[in-house]
Amino acid sequence: MNLSLVAREATPGLLPGLNGLPRPAPPKVTKKPKKAVLFFEVEILDAKTREKLCFLDKVEPHATIAEIKNLFTKTHPQWYPARQSLRLDPKGKSLKDEDVLQKLPVGTTATLYFRDLGAQISWVTVFLTEYAGPLFIYLLFYFRVPFIYGHKYDFTSSRHTVVHLACICHSFHYVKRLLETLFVHRFSHGTMPLRNIFKNCTYYWGFAAWMAYYINHPLYTPPTYGAQQVKLALAIFVICQLGNFSIHMALRDLRPAGSKTRKIPYPTKNPFTWLFLLVSCPNYTYEVGSWIGFAIMTQCLPVALFSLVGFTQMTIWAKGKHRSYLKEFRDYPPLRMPIIPFLL
Amino acid sequence: MAAASATAVAKGNGGGGGRAGDASGTRKKKGPGPLATAYLVIYNVVMTAGWLVIAVGLVRAYLAKGSYHSLYYSIEKPLKFFQTGALLEVGIVPSSVVLTSFQVMSRVFLIWAVTHSVKEVQTEDSVLLFVIAWTITEIIRYSFYTFSLLNHLPYLIKWARYTLFIVLYPMGVSGELLTIYAALPFVRQAGLYSISLPNKYNFSFDYYAFLILIMISYIPIFPQLYFHMIHQRRKVLSHTEEHKKFE
């Protein structure tokens, strides 16, 4: 049906679906070729109750899901776009913000199902909060703020060099993370569910307090093999921090600002990135390495446990990332393992 | 908590994995193959028998002694054996591995890390309280599974499983909490399972404080599990009204 032709008619034609909108003014006769503009209608139903939540008419065919979400928010302001999940099938996968309406397998009346993702919070906010905590908390223990250790130790300082070194390393690590969050990382998702911030902060802040308590304790025992052990551990830590940063920069350069493109990461001139030859997620590999270094440096069991838990989580993430690389790219290098070269 | 949580685990299983005939479960019941079914039936029969042994042991010891004090010793070995054996359920049960293992671990914790480890509490009456609660619960639960697998579930068993918990669950929880509480002074005195500073791994653990944390955790967890069971009961026993004539 050629709507523009119909629109030309003088009659106040109520075309099906236009719901009584005033008819568009008839176009003037120009030399421009007539283009058939077929508007879509979009109805949005609740995925669980099938209740009709919103009806959008005259939607441009090249409208994106992001634009549709914005339109939906106008009628339901409590559901801002970040907490909307729109899908073609109530039980199906969420449509992406970049998906274009006319490219979807829908008729001119598209039915989309809505699911509320719950209150959302931006990734940047979560990262900043979860990393600022450990930075601050560790320092409370380092400076032996009152009510942590016995009163006679208030504001005293450890006599062990390694304790001071550990504070520098731990603080450096989290300052680096904060700066990377602000200036380096490019997030593919803007938000995550609000409850994550409580979960994540409990984890980071809790472990930071637990580790810091022992390392800065008046009864702290320095490493068995003394300065040798500390030097070796520090070397591991520094190398892995540099490695981790190098990978973050390499990943950032893969993706232009504001885009969500995904490409296979490859080694660059920076030797730290050569780990890409062997693993999909060398950033995680280096991160585990950093914490192992820190554990050896402080010879503190809670640090080792924190490293183990972190390693477990990062392995899960690395395996997931590896799997999606394999799915997305046919030519994905076969030698690569998710996180540990040749092993895991 | 461990008492009723065992029933909650079973309830959480719903369909699949050999709970055929459980009207409360999910509708999609893909039963296990014949070999898996045979294994499950044998497992459930053995467990039912084991807990019956414990029940009989308790009764006999009571009759022999003439009192209900210190009956723990008469059933200590089968209790340890069959409750620990429940670890095998983790993974063969279709419900969440996290939930199942949490519940079995809490039972095993009470048996080994409290009752076995702190000998002084073995004569406490609170031990008998949770042992009885667990014994009755488990006999019913395992026979429920057995009959379900064989597709001949007597209504009485289903009713029992979804009703007796109302009394047995608080009874078991009380027994468990009182036992942990009784163990506290002895743990403190002996420094049981505790490490203090300084040591070369820069780590400390206070088992006494840990037990107190465990006791506190009952406060949020017990009501949730209990009311979940009440809710399940309403669902299961009302459905059964319709299916009753088919049994």
Side-chain angles (χ1 to χ4, degrees), chain A residues 214 217 219-221 298-301, chain B residues 197-205:
Chain A
Y214 290 108
H217 199 285
L219 296 177
Y220 171 76
T221 309
T298 55
Q299 200 168 293
C300 178
L301 185 60
Chain B
L197 293 175
N199 59 72
K200 70 173 174 179
Y201 294 116
N202 293 301
F203 175 69
S204 67
F205 182 70

Coordinates of all heavy atoms in Angstrom, one line a residue, chain A residues 214 217 219-221 298-301, chain B residues 197-205:
Chain A
Y214 N 45.1 -8.6 58.8 CA 46.3 -9.5 59.1 C 47.6 -8.9 58.7 O 48.6 -8.9 59.5 CB 46.1 -10.8 58.5 CG 45.0 -11.6 59.1 CD1 43.8 -11.9 58.4 CD2 45.1 -12.1 60.4 CE1 42.8 -12.6 59.0 CE2 44.1 -12.8 61.0 CZ 42.9 -13.0 60.3 OH 41.9 -13.7 60.9
H217 N 48.5 -6.2 61.1 CA 48.4 -6.6 62.5 C 49.7 -6.4 63.3 O 50.8 -6.7 62.7 CB 47.9 -8.0 62.6 CG 47.3 -8.4 63.9 ND1 48.0 -8.6 65.1 CD2 46.0 -8.5 64.3 CE1 47.2 -8.9 66.1 NE2 45.9 -8.9 65.6
L219 N 50.9 -8.3 65.3 CA 51.5 -9.6 65.4 C 51.8 -10.2 64.1 O 52.0 -11.4 64.0 CB 50.6 -10.6 66.2 CG 50.4 -10.2 67.7 CD1 49.5 -11.1 68.4 CD2 51.7 -10.1 68.5
Y220 N 51.8 -9.4 63.0 CA 52.1 -9.9 61.7 C 53.5 -10.6 61.6 O 54.5 -10.0 62.2 CB 52.1 -8.8 60.7 CG 52.6 -9.1 59.3 CD1 51.8 -9.9 58.4 CD2 53.8 -8.7 58.9 CE1 52.2 -10.2 57.2 CE2 54.3 -9.1 57.6 CZ 53.5 -9.8 56.8 OH 53.9 -10.2 55.5
T221 N 53.6 -11.7 60.9 CA 54.9 -12.4 60.8 C 55.3 -12.2 59.3 O 54.7 -12.7 58.4 CB 54.7 -13.9 61.0 OG1 54.0 -14.1 62.3 CG2 56.0 -14.6 61.0
T298 N 53.2 -11.1 51.0 CA 52.7 -10.9 52.4 C 52.7 -12.2 53.2 O 52.6 -12.2 54.4 CB 51.3 -10.3 52.4 OG1 50.5 -11.2 51.6 CG2 51.3 -8.9 51.8
Q299 N 52.8 -13.3 52.5 CA 52.7 -14.7 53.1 C 51.5 -14.7 54.0 O 51.6 -14.9 55.2 CB 54.0 -15.1 53.8 CG 54.0 -16.6 54.0 CD 55.4 -17.0 54.5 OE1 56.4 -16.9 53.8 NE2 55.5 -17.5 55.7
C300 N 50.3 -14.3 53.4 CA 49.1 -14.2 54.2 C 48.0 -15.1 53.6 O 47.6 -14.9 52.5 CB 48.7 -12.7 54.2 SG 47.2 -12.4 55.1
L301 N 47.6 -16.0 54.4 CA 46.6 -17.0 53.9 C 45.3 -16.3 53.3 O 44.8 -16.7 52.3 CB 46.2 -18.0 55.0 CG 45.3 -19.1 54.5 CD1 45.9 -20.0 53.4 CD2 45.0 -20.0 55.7
Chain B
L197 N 46.9 -15.6 66.3 CA 48.2 -15.0 65.9 C 49.2 -15.0 67.1 O 48.7 -15.0 68.2 CB 47.9 -13.6 65.5 CG 47.1 -13.3 64.3 CD1 46.8 -11.8 64.1 CD2 47.7 -13.9 63.0
P198 N 50.5 -14.9 66.8 CA 51.1 -14.9 65.5 C 51.3 -16.3 65.0 O 51.5 -17.2 65.7 CB 52.4 -14.2 65.8 CG 52.8 -14.5 67.2 CD 51.5 -14.7 67.9
N199 N 51.3 -16.4 63.7 CA 51.7 -17.7 63.0 C 52.2 -17.3 61.6 O 52.0 -16.2 61.1 CB 50.6 -18.6 63.0 CG 49.4 -18.1 62.2 OD1 49.4 -18.0 61.0 ND2 48.3 -17.8 62.9
K200 N 52.9 -18.2 61.0 CA 53.6 -17.8 59.8 C 52.7 -17.6 58.6 O 53.1 -17.1 57.5 CB 54.8 -18.8 59.4 CG 54.4 -20.1 58.9 CD 55.6 -20.9 58.5 CE 55.3 -22.3 58.1 NZ 56.5 -23.1 57.7
Y201 N 51.4 -18.0 58.7 CA 50.5 -17.8 57.6 C 49.6 -16.6 57.8 O 48.7 -16.3 57.1 CB 49.7 -19.1 57.2 CG 50.6 -20.1 56.7 CD1 50.8 -21.3 57.4 CD2 51.3 -19.9 55.5 CE1 51.6 -22.3 56.9 CE2 52.2 -20.9 55.0 CZ 52.3 -22.1 55.7 OH 53.2 -23.0 55.3
N202 N 49.9 -15.9 58.9 CA 49.2 -14.7 59.2 C 47.7 -14.8 59.0 O 47.0 -14.1 58.3 CB 49.7 -13.5 58.3 CG 51.1 -13.2 58.7 OD1 51.4 -12.8 59.8 ND2 52.0 -13.4 57.7
F203 N 47.1 -15.8 59.8 CA 45.7 -16.2 59.7 C 45.2 -16.5 61.1 O 46.0 -17.0 61.9 CB 45.6 -17.4 58.8 CG 44.3 -18.0 58.7 CD1 43.3 -17.3 58.0 CD2 44.0 -19.2 59.2 CE1 42.0 -17.8 57.9 CE2 42.7 -19.7 59.1 CZ 41.7 -19.0 58.4
S204 N 44.0 -16.2 61.3 CA 43.4 -16.6 62.6 C 42.0 -17.1 62.4 O 41.3 -16.7 61.4 CB 43.5 -15.5 63.6 OG 42.6 -14.5 63.3
F205 N 41.5 -18.0 63.2 CA 40.1 -18.5 63.1 C 39.6 -18.8 64.5 O 40.3 -19.5 65.3 CB 40.1 -19.7 62.3 CG 38.7 -20.3 62.1 CD1 37.8 -19.6 61.3 CD2 38.3 -21.4 62.7 CE1 36.5 -20.1 61.1 CE2 37.1 -22.0 62.5 CZ 36.1 -21.3 61.7

